[in-house]
Amino acid sequence: MPKILAIEDDATTGREIVAELEQHGFGVDWAADGGEGLERALSGAYEAVILDRLLPGVDGLTIVTAMRGAGIDVPVLMISALSDVDERIRGLRAGGDDYMTKPFASEEMAARLEVLLRRRVAPPRTTLSVGDLELDLYSRTAQRAGAEIKLMPTEFKLLEYMMRNSGQVLTRTMIFEAIWGYHFDPGTNLIDVHLGRMRRKIDPPGLAPLIHTIRGAGYELRAPDPAP
């Protein structure tokens, strides 16, 4: 259940926000003044914040600015009786993600919050790791035990495929079709050449092997067994 913080000093509006969001399956904490709202917002315990622009003690702009300064990037839906364009721009530039003017329909408020939450897609995974082996998909670099590994483009693609499927036995046919993209020719030694060269880089002397030949089945990349 997503946990939402509502910071609103007007009791009637605050109760309406809580009731509407609870109907949509949200858990809601309500802070009735800016001081309490700021403390709760900085706790990092919420998936989103509904924030009144004008609050006693600490105003909404101060709260959202403090949140962003502290690295809290959850969606903030600002609400206010101040409806002119300049005020809306100030709220958005301070770090708000959306802005609604009072009075507003509770159903629209809930819908806008749901849209903001849907937009928070997790960033794509850019680093793969198996044991002490790391592959950075963005910079296209690899390292093991802190030492950089120089990989040719096909070796990088092969290692990425094996790391994405770590712990699974990969047949020669699976590897061939994933890396070279056409039907496997049982007479070619293409896989052996690239895998052998990559293996010497990944599993140098002195380090526990990560790439294993499974006789009669294929190959497997897996982390070393933990020490007893």
Side-chain angles (χ1 to χ4, degrees):
M1 178 187 296
K3 197 68 177 291
I4 309 300
L5 173 63
I7 308 174
E8 167 59 63
D9 64 311
D10 180 76
T12 300
T13 304
R15 284 192 292 266
E16 289 176 353
I17 291 172
V18 171
E20 184 66 32
L21 294 182
E22 287 181 343
Q23 286 184 15
H24 285 75
F26 295 106
V28 189
D29 286 343
W30 173 25
D33 65 75
E36 180 189 359
L38 177 62
E39 182 178 352
R40 287 175 176 258
L42 293 178
S43 71
Y46 301 94
E47 279 72 38
V49 176
I50 295 177
L51 176 61
D52 191 7
R53 167 69 175 82
L54 300 176
L55 293 164
V58 182
D59 72 6
L61 290 182
T62 301
I63 292 174
V64 71
T65 301
M67 289 174 60
R68 300 318 187 206
I72 298 174
D73 64 349
V74 301
V76 174
L77 172 57
M78 301 196 72
I79 56 176
S80 177
L82 303 175
S83 60
D84 61 90
V85 173
D86 287 344
E87 282 299 332
R88 294 200 298 271
I89 291 173
R90 287 184 68 192
L92 295 171
R93 284 181 173 168
D97 296 280
D98 197 359
Y99 195 106
M100 296 186 70
T101 55
K102 298 178 180 179
F104 54 83
S106 298
E107 295 88 345
E108 181 184 358
M109 177 269 301
R112 289 200 187 196
L113 183 63
E114 289 170 350
V115 169
L116 291 176
L117 289 168
R118 283 200 302 270
R119 289 176 182 167
R120 287 184 57 79
V121 179
R125 188 181 180 189
T126 60
T127 303
L128 303 177
S129 60
V130 177
D132 58 358
L133 173 65
E134 292 187 358
L135 192 70
D136 190 315
L137 305 177
Y138 182 76
S139 64
R140 299 191 69 79
T141 58
Q143 64 175 14
R144 184 167 183 200
E148 186 178 357
I149 301 168
K150 299 290 187 181
L151 295 172
M152 300 296 287
T154 301
E155 294 169 356
F156 188 95
K157 188 175 180 182
L158 177 57
L159 182 59
E160 179 184 351
Y161 175 67
M162 296 186 75
M163 291 182 73
R164 288 188 183 276
N165 295 278
S166 63
Q168 301 179 42
V169 176
L170 304 173
T171 67
R172 293 169 64 85
T173 300
M174 292 167 64
I175 294 172
F176 202 94
E177 292 182 350
I179 305 307
W180 286 276
Y182 52 93
H183 188 67
F184 176 62
D185 177 2
T188 183
N189 68 346
L190 198 57
I191 291 176
D192 305 276
V193 170
H194 283 87
L195 193 59
R197 190 165 54 198
M198 187 182 76
R199 195 177 218 159
R200 289 191 291 274
K201 298 177 180 181
I202 300 301
D203 292 336
L207 293 179
L210 299 178
I211 301 174
H212 303 268
T213 300
I214 311 301
R215 190 173 299 276
Y219 302 92
E220 180 184 3
L221 186 147
R222 65 174 183 267
D225 295 330

